[in-house]
Amino acid sequence: MTTLDYLNLFSGMMLLLYGISQVSANMQIIAGARLRTYLGRLTRNRLMGVVTGTISTALLQSSSATSVITVTLVGSGLISFTASLGVLLGANVGTTLTVQLISFSLQDYALFMAGVGAAIRFFGRQDRTIYIGRLVLGFGLIFLGMKFMGASVEPLRHNTEFFSLFIDGQLSNLWLLLGAFIFTAVVQASAATVALALSFAASGLIDFHSAMYIVVGSNIGTGVTALIASFGTNVAARKTALANITFNTIGALAIIPFLPLIHTSFFLEGDIARNIANFHTMFNLALTLVFLPLIGLIAWLMNSIIREPRPAKGQQEFTLDRNLLSTPDLAIQQARMLSIKMQDECRRMLEDTYALIESYDSTRAWDIRRRDDRLDAMNLEVRLYLTSLSHREMSFEESHQVFDIINYCTTLEYVGDVLVKNISKLARKLHRENIHLSTQGMEELRELQQMIMESFELATELFAHGDPGTARQLAKRHQLIRLKEAQLMQTHISRLQAGVTETIATTAIHTDLLVNFERISSSLSRFEPSSVRMKEEVFRATNP
């Protein structure tokens, strides 16, 4: 082989890997969110888990992607550890469909497919059309890469020294298995490794027996991706990743002694590329059928190996998983869950702060400050996390969701600041100076606080559902609160003029409390999800 042949081989391999990554990445964007929803719902029993894993991998064109998604779903608590094992077995079956597709002689149409995909990508105006164009382009690059690789190794067909490595057994089949394992672990795509074997076999570079070891090695290597993805996650996710590589390793070790028998019994005749693809399918189907009844035993084994550690003292429960950043919809869902925790903390603070005005208690005041510190920490975590996510490729809808979550968390953090830095200090001042609001003044503040709580609940509903009707109710509620504040200011002044002792003593504190409650209402009313804003703009455009 000349230097140019080696360069063409390398270039073809890069085209193949890039094509596979494009197909997988764009399928995840097109259907990933729905697939993850179905993965969470359709894993109630083992068989459904296998079917779901098979379909997911066939659509995503990557068993590694399905395995990583499964690990992250387990880590997020959306799938149980035991249910995930069926999905992992199904992922092994699903990846065989990718290899079956690649095994057909479509290299002559590679340039046409790449051209069609590029045209769709170039002329497409909608996000979904652009992603489909990239998907078709990815398939074209896969076959184009295989075509270049096959052409570049053509000179080796006439190299007797190279063939003697396989014919005379100088190159151990176990070295082929190890090489396939390492290559798959590095490129994170077993289909790429098997595609290389298909290309080399079709060019006459390796025989079927050698290709069988490459297939087995690639099956073990595909589990490394999920294992790496599990680092830094919780125990359930790590058990899922370990179970995945355990399935594949045990299956590989079990089948190696029978490879010569399988070769002579089933694959002596026929097209070598199709035989390799069929062996890959047969191996993974057998793996699934053998391990499916043993899922309970494997789960028990993993639970024995990896035990749940005792939580560290003071461990933060609101640290977001950075491993999920590669799957935007899961990352957004996790950030949303943390924002709901912030929402619950803020609700408690609203209730406790009013109770502090009624009857000051230092323990309650300290608890409110502690909750505010938690709010600040959670808000910072969400902002940093979603800022990192914003550098990834996301759909238009996902970008708006990121903005809405940051906006909502900022609103909650501001409400917490008003409660701690202003209202709680005013309550402490009442206690320190041993003065009390008038009975009528307290009743008026109670009415205002109840209106604020109603606004808060409307804001939480708006964040959850993004309904324009709720947004209008929230805006209307704020206007009522502003009117109520003005009315309460007037009644307070009337009590001052009447010479009510408590009112005279607490006038500055009372008016500051009214102003700060109105600030909370104003902040809540300014929160408006992107979906609501877009719906309102469409409504105004269609109803001038």
Side-chain angles (χ1 to χ4, degrees):
M1 287 178 65
T2 65
T3 303
L4 183 60
D5 289 328
Y6 283 112
L7 290 174
N8 286 338
L9 175 61
F10 175 77
S11 300
M13 191 182 303
M14 292 302 103
L15 283 176
L16 171 69
L17 293 175
Y18 182 70
I20 289 175
S21 70
Q22 283 296 299
V23 169
S24 178
N26 287 285
M27 276 305 302
Q28 286 194 56
I29 293 172
I30 293 169
R34 264 174 286 183
L35 276 177
R36 279 181 272 277
T37 301
Y38 293 141
L39 275 171
R41 292 177 181 173
L42 302 178
T43 52
R44 304 291 174 83
N45 59 65
R46 300 174 184 181
L47 187 58
M48 281 305 299
V50 172
V51 172
T52 306
T54 301
I55 294 173
S56 299
T57 305
L59 291 174
L60 295 177
Q61 295 294 302
S62 172
S63 60
S64 295
T66 302
S67 300
V68 169
I69 290 169
T70 304
V71 168
T72 53
L73 286 172
V74 171
S76 301
L78 300 177
I79 298 180
S80 69
F81 162 59
T82 305
S84 71
L85 301 183
V87 178
L88 297 177
L89 291 174
N92 287 333
V93 177
T95 196
T96 66
L97 302 177
T98 306
V99 174
Q100 288 287 352
L101 178 62
I102 295 174
S103 69
F104 289 102
S105 300
L106 299 176
Q107 285 90 332
D108 292 338
Y109 304 99
L111 193 58
F112 172 74
M113 292 173 67
V116 170
I120 296 172
R121 164 67 183 85
F122 185 76
F123 294 108
R125 291 293 176 264
Q126 296 182 347
D127 286 347
R128 188 175 182 83
T129 306
I130 292 172
Y131 295 139
I132 291 173
R134 289 179 182 175
L135 180 68
V136 177
L137 175 61
F139 274 117
L141 293 177
I142 289 172
F143 292 112
L144 195 62
M146 292 183 66
K147 186 175 184 178
F148 276 124
M149 286 190 297
S152 65
V153 298
E154 185 70 22
L156 286 179
R157 295 182 62 181
H158 311 291
N159 190 323
T160 55
E161 292 181 4
F162 180 83
F163 272 100
S164 67
L165 294 174
F166 298 96
I167 296 171
D168 299 335
Q170 295 177 30
L171 183 61
S172 168
N173 286 322
L174 292 180
W175 281 110
L176 283 175
L177 186 149
L178 180 61
F181 163 75
I182 294 172
F183 183 79
T184 304
V186 170
V187 302
Q188 301 184 4
S190 60
T193 307
V194 181
L196 281 173
L198 291 173
S199 182
F200 291 161
S203 301
L205 205 59
I206 59 173
D207 61 8
F208 177 76
H209 190 69
S210 299
M212 293 171 77
Y213 282 88
I214 294 176
V215 169
V216 173
S218 71
N219 245 51
I220 304 174
T222 193
V224 174
T225 308
L227 197 62
I228 294 172
S230 71
F231 292 162
T233 59
N234 59 23
V235 170
R238 294 201 299 275
K239 286 190 288 191
T240 300
L242 182 60
N244 184 39
I245 202 166
T246 301
F247 283 141
N248 295 339
T249 303
I250 294 176
L253 294 176
I255 201 172
I256 286 173
F258 300 98
L259 290 181
L261 178 63
I262 293 172
H263 182 191
T264 56
S265 301
F266 300 102
F267 300 108
L268 281 177
E269 298 178 352
D271 178 71
I272 189 169
R274 297 290 307 127
N275 282 344
I276 293 171
N278 290 336
F279 167 69
H280 184 240
T281 301
M282 185 188 77
F283 173 41
N284 282 289
L285 279 173
L287 196 69
T288 300
L289 291 175
V290 169
F291 279 110
L292 187 59
L294 303 176
I295 281 180
L297 178 62
I298 295 293
W300 173 83
L301 180 63
M302 294 301 108
N303 287 328
S304 302
I305 295 173
I306 304 178
R307 296 184 180 276
E308 191 80 36
R310 293 180 179 178
K313 188 176 181 180
Q315 184 180 24
Q316 290 185 329
E317 61 186 53
F318 42 80
T319 301
L320 296 173
D321 186 359
R322 263 60 185 172
N323 293 313
L324 295 183
L325 290 172
S326 57
T327 48
D329 61 308
L330 278 181
I332 290 170
Q333 185 175 9
Q334 193 183 45
R336 181 176 286 272
M337 289 170 65
L338 186 54
S339 66
I340 292 173
K341 284 187 179 181
M342 287 185 65
Q343 173 184 292
D344 295 338
E345 293 280 358
C346 197
R347 181 186 289 109
R348 285 285 303 275
M349 288 177 68
L350 275 167
E351 294 167 349
D352 289 350
T353 304
Y354 177 76
L356 207 62
I357 298 170
E358 285 189 314
S359 176
Y360 189 84
D361 178 72
S362 57
T363 302
R364 179 181 284 128
W366 178 88
D367 187 60
I368 292 170
R369 289 195 298 274
R370 183 182 61 83
R371 290 183 184 279
D372 183 58
D373 289 340
R374 287 167 59 84
L375 269 186
D376 292 343
M378 286 190 278
N379 181 49
L380 179 62
E381 177 70 5
V382 169
R383 291 176 74 90
L384 293 177
Y385 187 73
L386 294 182
T387 299
S388 298
L389 182 64
S390 64
H391 298 304
R392 310 281 179 128
E393 187 171 13
M394 292 185 292
S395 66
F396 182 74
E397 182 182 354
E398 287 170 341
S399 298
H400 280 295
Q401 288 180 36
V402 166
F403 175 80
D404 290 343
I405 293 172
I406 292 176
N407 188 13
Y408 186 61
C409 290
T410 302
T411 299
L412 295 175
E413 196 259 350
Y414 176 78
V415 170
D417 285 346
V418 172
L419 290 171
V420 168
K421 295 176 182 178
N422 298 346
I423 298 178
S424 290
K425 285 184 177 180
L426 292 169
R428 188 166 69 251
K429 188 175 181 181
L430 286 171
H431 173 70
R432 188 174 63 245
E433 296 180 7
N434 196 24
I435 53 178
H436 304 278
L437 299 178
S438 66
T439 304
Q440 186 180 355
M442 276 305 305
E443 290 176 357
E444 290 173 350
L445 273 181
R446 187 178 294 110
E447 292 175 14
L448 188 61
Q449 190 259 355
Q450 288 173 351
M451 293 179 73
I452 296 293
M453 290 302 299
E454 290 170 3
S455 288
F456 184 83
E457 297 305 331
L458 284 172
T460 62
E461 185 180 341
L462 181 59
F463 176 67
H465 305 294
D467 179 47
T470 305
R472 288 191 288 271
Q473 287 182 49
L474 183 59
K476 187 180 295 184
R477 173 65 54 179
H478 175 57
Q479 293 303 318
L480 291 174
I481 288 173
R482 290 188 65 183
L483 291 172
K484 187 69 173 177
E485 183 210 7
Q487 177 190 340
L488 297 184
M489 281 288 190
Q490 188 61 49
T491 57
H492 175 74
I493 293 171
S494 298
R495 287 195 299 275
L496 274 177
Q497 292 171 342
V500 178
T501 305
E502 293 94 337
T503 303
I504 295 172
T506 61
T507 179
I509 296 175
H510 191 104
T511 53
D512 282 348
L513 287 171
L514 293 176
V515 169
N516 281 289
F517 274 123
E518 193 278 331
R519 282 180 181 171
I520 292 174
S521 172
S522 178
S523 177
L524 292 171
S525 69
R526 285 196 298 271
F527 171 66
E528 184 180 39
S530 304
S531 59
V532 172
R533 191 160 51 252
M534 288 187 290
K535 289 175 184 176
E536 292 289 354
E537 288 174 358
V538 170
F539 178 80
R540 285 194 293 268
T542 54
N543 297 273

